[in-house]
Amino acid sequence: MGDIAVIGRSLASAENGERPLFHRIREDIIDGRLEAGTRLVVADLARRYDSSSNPVREALHQLQGEGFVVISQNRGARVRPVGEHFARDIYDIRALIEPYMIRWFTANATTAQISEMEKIQNEIEQLDGDHEAYRELNERFHSVSYAGHFNREAVDMEERYREILFMLNKRYQLTRGRWAECIQEHRGIVTAIKARDAEAAAAMTERHVHGACRHLIDHIRVARASEQAAK
Amino acid sequence: MGDIAVIGRSLASAENGERPLFHRIREDIIDGRLEAGTRLVVADLARRYDSSSNPVREALHQLQGEGFVVISQNRGARVRPVGEHFARDIYDIRALIEPYMIRWFTANATTAQISEMEKIQNEIEQLDGDHEAYRELNERFHSVSYAGHFNREAVDMEERYREILFMLNKRYQLTRGRWAECIQEHRGIVTAIKARDAEAAAAMTERHVHGACRHLIDHIRVARASEQAAK
DNA sequence: TTGTCAAGGATTGTACGTAATCTATATGAA
DNA sequence: TTCATATAGATTACGTACAATCCTTGACAA
């Protein structure tokens, strides 16, 4: 038995790519395969990822540093529980960072970048209710403006927050109303950037973030209310 | 090379209290006992803190998650090198977060909190060039307004950044001019808060952050210039 | 119901073998 | 000589196995 297991593992680890364990766990958290609040037992994870305990422990600690995991003394790790509070806190911060980044982008964007944005926005508008595709394109739309920003620290932070909110939003459907608002706001951002009007772009971006925040929190409240009613 | 191990013992088991290893390394980084850029060799750290390799590795990974340490594949860890770029990036972010926090504080502060701030400010003004004491009181002055803020995420972030900048600023002396500016700005903040004028408080805070940024960057540039000249 | 205690399970810390990287010395050609 | 390259040795990080400690859970008795 041991022999087979060993051979199996060596093949697996040879093939399971150079991708660090850390990233794989992180992705599984973000994509919801490891839900918020679930216990992360080291031995289980080691089996699951065809690895051993030490790498898992290190990955968990790093994820704790980044805020995706909570570890308590002698009690193990859990995926960070995220609720209404936390969502609002993060959106508040994004409402400060994003306008800041857009302001710089508006002043420094190349025409190629701007037309890239416009192209993605057009694709979004031709979408017909496909939420999955929307999320994908929306990510790309926004990442155009962040990718090249000089403030790497802000970029990293923004990316972390986007990932966390991504995993939260995945649970809920975009309402028709919010969908329309998003398109309006995106258009506003694009036209402001084309006009090189940094303040307008910033203002519209702030509105966009606040709208997303309200939308998510409404969903969370509705979900909790119906949960309560079920009892 | 083995510089870490040598300095080690003195601090190490002085009282290797129940404090988690993670915090002890972190403090040593912030207080400058482990300078930016120095290699962090696992075996040395294990000796230094009277521990063994696994706990050290986990602590390093967590610190990487928080941004204090940089780890590269098979090459070990270093204390994060911090330079002019990084400082400016962080100050830019603080210039967004701090006004946001002060705005809420201005609206929600108790009179006890406000008089606490005033008291600390008075102590600062009676100081006579004692930089060490100034740093201490300055920390306390600002932490009054953050400690109670509802946005825990922002508080944590702010704290991390403050610690990083603290370790950077420690290298340089406050110029007389900047000292005077700080007192002015602090006064402005206090009076704005007392008047419950959130916008004024926010504006003054932003100015305070930008001033601190300029001051630090000037120092860094001067230091680098004189380093260049030495060659 | 409440409190105590024992068993099981998970985390935490230690030791060791292996693999990768870095350094210094030596060898070769320009 | 001087520079570049190659190689051997030392150093360090990485992964596995194991022991010890702590927490949790469930049963049993008061």
mmCIF file of all heavy atoms in Angstrom, chain A residues 10 24 26 33 37 40 58 74 76 89 108 125 141 158 161 213:
data_model
loop_
_atom_site.group_PDB
_atom_site.id
_atom_site.type_symbol
_atom_site.label_atom_id
_atom_site.label_comp_id
_atom_site.label_asym_id
_atom_site.label_seq_id
_atom_site.Cartn_x
_atom_site.Cartn_y
_atom_site.Cartn_z
ATOM 1 N N SER A 10 4.568 10.801 -6.189
ATOM 2 C CA SER A 10 5.702 11.374 -6.905
ATOM 3 C C SER A 10 5.296 11.768 -8.320
ATOM 4 O O SER A 10 5.698 12.809 -8.814
ATOM 5 C CB SER A 10 6.856 10.378 -6.934
ATOM 6 O OG SER A 10 6.461 9.204 -7.612
ATOM 7 N N ARG A 24 -2.558 27.857 -5.098
ATOM 8 C CA ARG A 24 -3.665 26.944 -5.365
ATOM 9 C C ARG A 24 -4.716 27.051 -4.272
ATOM 10 O O ARG A 24 -5.908 27.086 -4.554
ATOM 11 C CB ARG A 24 -3.129 25.528 -5.485
ATOM 12 C CG ARG A 24 -2.102 25.409 -6.608
ATOM 13 C CD ARG A 24 -1.532 24.021 -6.707
ATOM 14 N NE ARG A 24 -2.565 23.024 -6.944
ATOM 15 C CZ ARG A 24 -2.432 21.737 -6.656
ATOM 16 N NH1 ARG A 24 -1.313 21.298 -6.109
ATOM 17 N NH2 ARG A 24 -3.415 20.896 -6.906
ATOM 18 N N ARG A 26 -5.185 29.590 -2.339
ATOM 19 C CA ARG A 26 -5.756 30.926 -2.481
ATOM 20 C C ARG A 26 -6.842 30.964 -3.544
ATOM 21 O O ARG A 26 -7.919 31.519 -3.321
ATOM 22 C CB ARG A 26 -4.617 31.875 -2.847
ATOM 23 C CG ARG A 26 -4.965 33.329 -2.846
ATOM 24 C CD ARG A 26 -3.709 34.099 -3.237
ATOM 25 N NE ARG A 26 -4.037 35.294 -3.969
ATOM 26 C CZ ARG A 26 -3.685 36.505 -3.589
ATOM 27 N NH1 ARG A 26 -3.014 36.656 -2.478
ATOM 28 N NH2 ARG A 26 -4.007 37.545 -4.312
ATOM 29 N N ARG A 33 -14.402 27.292 -3.755
ATOM 30 C CA ARG A 33 -14.338 25.852 -3.508
ATOM 31 C C ARG A 33 -14.043 25.582 -2.035
ATOM 32 O O ARG A 33 -14.378 24.532 -1.511
ATOM 33 C CB ARG A 33 -13.274 25.212 -4.400
ATOM 34 C CG ARG A 33 -13.712 25.100 -5.851
ATOM 35 C CD ARG A 33 -12.692 24.343 -6.688
ATOM 36 N NE ARG A 33 -11.483 25.137 -6.915
ATOM 37 C CZ ARG A 33 -11.363 26.062 -7.863
ATOM 38 N NH1 ARG A 33 -12.382 26.332 -8.654
ATOM 39 N NH2 ARG A 33 -10.244 26.726 -8.007
ATOM 40 N N GLY A 37 -15.353 30.504 6.257
ATOM 41 C CA GLY A 37 -15.705 29.955 7.549
ATOM 42 C C GLY A 37 -15.346 28.488 7.728
ATOM 43 O O GLY A 37 -15.279 28.009 8.856
ATOM 44 N N LEU A 40 -9.817 24.626 8.058
ATOM 45 C CA LEU A 40 -8.764 24.169 7.172
ATOM 46 C C LEU A 40 -7.846 23.260 7.975
ATOM 47 O O LEU A 40 -6.948 23.727 8.674
ATOM 48 C CB LEU A 40 -7.984 25.368 6.620
ATOM 49 C CG LEU A 40 -8.817 26.314 5.756
ATOM 50 C CD1 LEU A 40 -8.040 27.576 5.421
ATOM 51 C CD2 LEU A 40 -9.260 25.615 4.483
ATOM 52 N N GLU A 58 2.866 26.466 5.968
ATOM 53 C CA GLU A 58 3.446 27.742 5.534
ATOM 54 C C GLU A 58 2.482 28.525 4.663
ATOM 55 O O GLU A 58 2.340 29.740 4.799
ATOM 56 C CB GLU A 58 4.755 27.479 4.792
ATOM 57 C CG GLU A 58 5.886 27.156 5.750
ATOM 58 C CD GLU A 58 7.041 26.443 5.077
ATOM 59 O OE1 GLU A 58 7.145 26.510 3.846
ATOM 60 O OE2 GLU A 58 7.826 25.809 5.799
ATOM 61 N N ASN A 74 -3.463 26.962 18.595
ATOM 62 C CA ASN A 74 -3.856 25.592 18.942
ATOM 63 C C ASN A 74 -5.268 25.228 18.498
ATOM 64 O O ASN A 74 -5.793 24.214 18.937
ATOM 65 C CB ASN A 74 -3.768 25.379 20.456
ATOM 66 C CG ASN A 74 -2.333 25.425 20.931
ATOM 67 O OD1 ASN A 74 -1.444 24.925 20.262
ATOM 68 N ND2 ASN A 74 -2.115 26.045 22.062
ATOM 69 N N GLY A 76 -6.229 25.818 15.076
ATOM 70 C CA GLY A 76 -6.263 25.627 13.634
ATOM 71 C C GLY A 76 -6.727 26.839 12.854
ATOM 72 O O GLY A 76 -6.940 27.915 13.402
ATOM 73 N N ASP A 89 -16.604 47.720 4.862
ATOM 74 C CA ASP A 89 -15.282 48.281 5.170
ATOM 75 C C ASP A 89 -14.397 48.296 3.929
ATOM 76 O O ASP A 89 -13.753 49.297 3.618
ATOM 77 C CB ASP A 89 -14.618 47.459 6.274
ATOM 78 C CG ASP A 89 -15.251 47.701 7.631
ATOM 79 O OD1 ASP A 89 -16.138 48.584 7.716
ATOM 80 O OD2 ASP A 89 -14.880 47.009 8.597
ATOM 81 N N ASN A 108 -2.456 59.810 -17.783
ATOM 82 C CA ASN A 108 -1.308 59.136 -18.378
ATOM 83 C C ASN A 108 -1.624 57.999 -19.338
ATOM 84 O O ASN A 108 -0.711 57.363 -19.857
ATOM 85 C CB ASN A 108 -0.413 58.571 -17.273
ATOM 86 C CG ASN A 108 0.159 59.665 -16.401
ATOM 87 O OD1 ASN A 108 -0.517 60.145 -15.495
ATOM 88 N ND2 ASN A 108 1.374 60.074 -16.683
ATOM 89 N N GLU A 125 -21.553 45.517 -23.374
ATOM 90 C CA GLU A 125 -22.889 45.989 -23.732
ATOM 91 C C GLU A 125 -23.598 45.042 -24.674
ATOM 92 O O GLU A 125 -24.824 45.007 -24.707
ATOM 93 C CB GLU A 125 -22.794 47.388 -24.357
ATOM 94 C CG GLU A 125 -22.307 48.410 -23.339
ATOM 95 C CD GLU A 125 -22.395 49.845 -23.843
ATOM 96 O OE1 GLU A 125 -23.100 50.071 -24.838
ATOM 97 O OE2 GLU A 125 -21.746 50.715 -23.243
ATOM 98 N N PHE A 141 -12.005 45.043 -17.755
ATOM 99 C CA PHE A 141 -12.241 46.470 -17.949
ATOM 100 C C PHE A 141 -11.480 47.293 -16.909
ATOM 101 O O PHE A 141 -10.745 48.224 -17.232
ATOM 102 C CB PHE A 141 -13.742 46.763 -17.844
ATOM 103 C CG PHE A 141 -14.105 48.210 -17.942
ATOM 104 C CD1 PHE A 141 -14.282 48.816 -19.178
ATOM 105 C CD2 PHE A 141 -14.259 48.988 -16.805
ATOM 106 C CE1 PHE A 141 -14.610 50.164 -19.283
ATOM 107 C CE2 PHE A 141 -14.588 50.332 -16.897
ATOM 108 C CZ PHE A 141 -14.761 50.915 -18.143
ATOM 109 N N GLU A 158 -5.487 46.787 -4.071
ATOM 110 C CA GLU A 158 -6.692 46.777 -4.884
ATOM 111 C C GLU A 158 -6.994 45.371 -5.396
ATOM 112 O O GLU A 158 -8.135 44.917 -5.361
ATOM 113 C CB GLU A 158 -6.487 47.736 -6.059
ATOM 114 C CG GLU A 158 -7.615 47.816 -7.022
ATOM 115 C CD GLU A 158 -8.873 48.386 -6.397
ATOM 116 O OE1 GLU A 158 -8.767 49.103 -5.385
ATOM 117 O OE2 GLU A 158 -9.963 48.074 -6.908
ATOM 118 N N TYR A 161 -8.322 43.110 -2.619
ATOM 119 C CA TYR A 161 -9.709 43.434 -2.299
ATOM 120 C C TYR A 161 -10.650 42.964 -3.399
ATOM 121 O O TYR A 161 -11.743 42.459 -3.134
ATOM 122 C CB TYR A 161 -9.867 44.937 -2.065
ATOM 123 C CG TYR A 161 -9.275 45.393 -0.757
ATOM 124 C CD1 TYR A 161 -8.800 46.685 -0.598
ATOM 125 C CD2 TYR A 161 -9.195 44.533 0.332
ATOM 126 C CE1 TYR A 161 -8.267 47.113 0.609
ATOM 127 C CE2 TYR A 161 -8.660 44.949 1.539
ATOM 128 C CZ TYR A 161 -8.200 46.248 1.668
ATOM 129 O OH TYR A 161 -7.674 46.653 2.857
ATOM 130 N N CYS A 213 -21.201 48.517 -3.794
ATOM 131 C CA CYS A 213 -21.301 48.251 -2.368
ATOM 132 C C CYS A 213 -22.762 48.076 -1.967
ATOM 133 O O CYS A 213 -23.148 47.086 -1.343
ATOM 134 C CB CYS A 213 -20.663 49.383 -1.582
ATOM 135 S SG CYS A 213 -20.748 49.153 0.198
#
